[in-house]
Amino acid sequence: MNYLSYILSLIGNAISSRAGNLTFLSLKVSSPGNFPPPLSPEEERRLFGLIAEGDKKARNTVIEHNLRLVAHIIKKYASSGADQDDLMSLGTIGLIKAVENCDLSHGVRFSTYAVPMIAGEIRRYIRESNSMRVSRGIRDTAYKALVTRDEIES
């Protein structure tokens, strides 16, 4: 069993654990050369057909070959201050959810479906890790109050 398969099996076990506890696994990515090449559209469709039949090996293959996509997406969030290993783990969880829920019968590539799910997991983490959340309505009201105060004072 190669290293990526082992990691994916650990993540899969963490997601499907009966206790419902989710273990975030750090995946160290040192260079883009560590990733398998992307799948061809034909191979992607074939593997998703096998996944629909319950083939875990096909599922892991799709996940492994799309880790490069996760690494590309987390670059966008580098300035968020979050640890890159955490973002890679969260992106991988989003990728796993995308693999489990994807339906290629709509005629789209898997990556088109997966990108919003991967980014959504990362954004959710960043949003929830903020110390205090202020609703948009309150921010708009505060802004209007500051503008009005500046107009009165000038």
Side-chain angles (χ1 to χ4, degrees):
M1 179 184 293
N2 68 27
Y3 181 69
L4 288 174
S5 296
Y6 175 72
I7 288 174
L8 292 172
S9 69
L10 289 176
I11 291 173
N13 291 339
I15 289 176
S16 63
S17 69
R18 291 184 183 153
N21 296 330
L22 190 60
T23 304
F24 290 99
L25 182 66
S26 292
L27 178 62
K28 195 73 166 175
V29 178
S30 58
S31 72
N34 291 343
F35 298 114
L39 296 169
S40 68
E42 297 79 24
E43 182 68 7
E44 196 173 84
R45 280 192 296 277
R46 184 185 73 76
L47 288 171
F48 272 99
L50 293 172
I51 291 170
E53 297 170 4
D55 187 345
K56 296 288 186 187
K57 189 170 191 256
R59 175 184 171 268
N60 288 345
T61 300
V62 170
I63 293 169
E64 287 174 9
H65 285 265
N66 283 285
L67 286 174
R68 181 185 309 261
L69 178 64
V70 175
H72 178 73
I73 292 170
I74 67 170
K75 290 179 194 173
K76 178 179 177 182
Y77 301 96
S79 64
S80 69
D83 183 56
Q84 294 295 300
D85 288 339
D86 289 345
L87 295 181
M88 188 68 187
S89 295
L90 290 160
T92 304
I93 290 170
L95 176 65
I96 292 169
K97 288 180 180 180
V99 168
E100 292 173 351
N101 297 315
C102 185
D103 181 12
L104 294 181
S105 66
H106 299 292
V108 297
R109 292 284 313 261
F110 171 68
S111 59
T112 305
Y113 179 80
V115 167
M117 292 193 77
I118 294 166
E121 285 294 320
I122 294 169
R123 283 194 305 263
R124 186 175 304 112
Y125 169 76
I126 292 169
R127 187 174 52 242
E128 290 175 358
S129 65
N130 288 340
S131 59
M132 187 169 109
R133 286 181 259 160
V134 179
S135 72
R136 174 177 247 151
I138 293 173
R139 282 185 299 193
D140 290 346
T141 304
Y143 176 74
K144 288 176 186 176
L146 289 173
V147 170
T148 304
R149 183 189 74 187
D150 290 344
E151 289 174 356
I152 292 170
E153 290 177 352
S154 31

